[in-house]
Amino acid sequence: MTQRWVLDEIVDPFGAKVLVERDAAGAVSSARFDLAGLPRVDALLAGQPVTGVPNLVEKLCGICPAAHHLAGVRALEALAGSPELTPTAKAVRALLHYGSALETHAPRLISTDRETALAMRRFGKAAMAAAGSPGHFPTTAIPGGVKAAVSAEARDGLAGAAADLLTQLVAVAVKQLQSPGTLPVYAGADVALVDLGASPDLLGERVRAVAASGATILSGASASAWDGLVAEQYVGAPAPRPYLVALGPDHGRYRVGPMAQLRVGELATPIAAGLQQDWLAQSGDAGGARAIMTVHAVEAIIALLADPELVNGEPTVEVGPCAPESVGVGWVDGPRGLLVHRYQTGAEGQLTAAQILTPTAQNEPWLADLLLSAATGSTAALDLEDAVREADPCLPCSSAPVGGMGLQVDIVSADGGY
Amino acid sequence: MCVGIPAKILQITSGVLPMARVSLNGEELDCQLAYFPEAEVGDYVLIQNGFVMDVLDPQAAADSLAAFAELGVLNIPAEAG
């Protein structure tokens, strides 16, 4: 397949565009965020040797290459029979992932708490470096484990900075919870990865879905069941409108990310779990959820630093070749939510089809709901910028200071004219 | 997915919202440096939607450009710079 991206759409600083549609009577009938700046790469990957696909995808990613790195390696491992990793491999990968989450969330604080934001970024980068990924593009994981354990020196350096950062981030979260934003009630489900005890786990091996009512839709399905869990209404589109297969396209909409992570189960780290209870009691917003998940990330890193397996132990297990004519699914719950890599192989081990389903693509329907609510004024104090900031699409505009997002709003009439 | 394209900083304009003029595939573009005010002229940086999102070492920049070239999605050379 030949496809060229329009360079200006990828690098345009004012590329964040909202399309608002009015009906024949002039009333706002729908609104959506234009994802032209976030093209799908899935079709372009066909024909590549499958073992090189994670490396290729992460080299294209501007914001969260670590999430793509880990999801891609997990997909390769699924193709190789899903080997049980060593405790050291799990710990090092978790350090990379939580460090990446902190680094990714840091820009959100730049305009309100620059000192904490820069401390977050430094700590996140140091955690990623300790886990074997000192540069922008991660090199930590390999099929079957990780390249190396963490050095004692790097572990001790992180331990020295973790407590202060935790204090700073708890203060940010408490402040955030004191002034929650107003969000319309979301009618869809919340989807996030969990551990075997149903606690949110950014590297979990089970996915859990909870309805708006709190009822459990999926208690914990594995990645191998992916094809029966989620389908794209518009397959391969930048805005594919995915849905839970069990509920169908009309009733199966869902969201991912920090709000979903806090709604699917109780966090396993104590300070963040306490904040989570406050957040649930006040029907908190996405800003509060992000702040709590950063506290959780630092607590999780502190626990990892106390784990002797992080620095001592076997980094890998033996892993076989990727199976031909098979399907492998790898996932992580990234800082913005669930990221899925699905690889399908041909007879020669080449990739014949890929699905890279990002949190932004999964949250696009939720963002459309928020934008409609803002455009119609049905939710007081929610404007278009607030809507974008809440759903947090994977674009720098999400981190812009209040009033500085530079959203372009195109009004479209029912007949398609402007 | 989010796409980050490596470019080289040619010039920096300081201020409350610092800007960088960068070279990308022979084309010069202006980008925001708000997230990475410590970047310097000559650095390779990752651009996404007009913002510098990270500073790259030259090898990482070359690797990233090679990935874009391999997929043929942008008319850019495989070597950094």
Side-chain angles (χ1 to χ4, degrees), chain A residues 3-5 7-15 37-41 44-45 48 56-57 59-64 68 103 107 110 114 121 125 136-137 356 358 394-396 399-400, chain B residues 1-6 24-25 27 29-32 34-38 46-51 53-57 60-61 63-68 70-76:
Chain A
Q3 177 181 334
R4 293 274 170 179
W5 295 333
L7 193 61
D8 287 348
E9 289 183 350
I10 309 292
V11 300
D12 182 358
F14 306 108
L38 297 171
R40 294 286 290 263
V41 301
L44 304 172
L45 298 168
Q48 297 286 334
L56 203 50
V57 174
K59 292 292 185 296
L60 307 178
C61 180
I63 289 187
C64 47
H68 284 288
E103 194 210 6
I110 282 279
R114 183 178 173 81
R121 201 185 80 196
K125 275 198 168 293
H136 179 79
F137 299 115
I356 312 293
T358 64
C394 192
L395 291 165
S399 305
Chain B
M1 57 177 272
C2 58
V3 175
I5 304 170
L24 174 65
N25 190 31
E27 191 177 344
L29 302 164
D30 291 318
C31 297
Q32 286 270 9
Y35 300 151
F36 269 86
E38 67 269 37
L46 205 56
I47 304 167
Q48 198 210 5
N49 285 76
F51 284 71
M53 296 305 292
D54 207 347
V55 178
L56 304 177
D57 64 65
D63 290 347
S64 177
L65 288 169
F68 282 102
E70 186 166 350
L71 293 182
V73 290
L74 293 172
N75 289 319
I76 51 180

Side-chain angles (χ1 to χ4, degrees), chain A residues 198-283:
Chain A
S199 286
D201 180 353
L202 301 188
L203 281 174
E205 295 183 2
R206 297 284 184 273
V207 70
R208 184 172 167 83
V210 173
S213 65
T216 301
I217 301 169
L218 285 172
S219 59
S222 68
S224 61
W226 175 251
D227 285 354
L229 302 178
V230 168
E232 297 184 15
Q233 187 172 357
Y234 306 112
V235 178
R241 301 265 161 149
Y243 60 91
L244 296 170
V245 172
L247 301 180
D250 292 337
H251 303 287
R253 299 291 178 212
Y254 65 94
R255 67 183 167 188
V256 298
M259 289 189 75
Q261 288 155 2
L262 292 190
R263 284 182 42 82
V264 300
E266 184 176 345
L267 292 168
T269 57
I271 300 174
L275 293 165
Q276 179 187 19
Q277 293 310 310
D278 296 340
W279 181 87
L280 288 168
Q282 67 176 211
S283 300

Side-chain angles (χ1 to χ4, degrees), chain A residues 26 42 48 74 84-85 98 102 113 217 223 228 234 297 301 304 309 312 320 329 351 366 388:
Chain A
D42 312 29
Q48 297 286 334
R74 282 181 144 190
E84 176 65 22
L85 302 183
Y98 286 115
L102 289 171
D113 190 341
I217 301 169
Y234 306 112
I301 287 176
L304 287 167
E309 297 284 357
N312 294 307
V329 176
L351 187 83
W366 175 41
V388 173

Side-chain angles (χ1 to χ4, degrees), chain A residues 401-415:
Chain A
V402 174
M405 199 173 281
L407 278 182
Q408 176 185 332
V409 181
D410 286 356
I411 310 291
V412 186
S413 65
D415 60 8

Side-chain angles (χ1 to χ4, degrees), chain A residues 300-328:
Chain A
I301 287 176
I302 290 172
L304 287 167
L305 297 176
D307 180 357
E309 297 284 357
L310 188 71
V311 293
N312 294 307
E314 285 298 318
T316 57
V317 294
E318 199 165 322
V319 62
C322 291
E325 299 182 315
S326 188
V327 171

Side-chain angles (χ1 to χ4, degrees), chain A residues 272-299:
Chain A
L275 293 165
Q276 179 187 19
Q277 293 310 310
D278 296 340
W279 181 87
L280 288 168
Q282 67 176 211
S283 300
D285 65 358
R290 266 190 298 276
I292 292 168
M293 288 307 293
T294 61
V295 170
H296 172 66
V298 178
E299 284 189 290

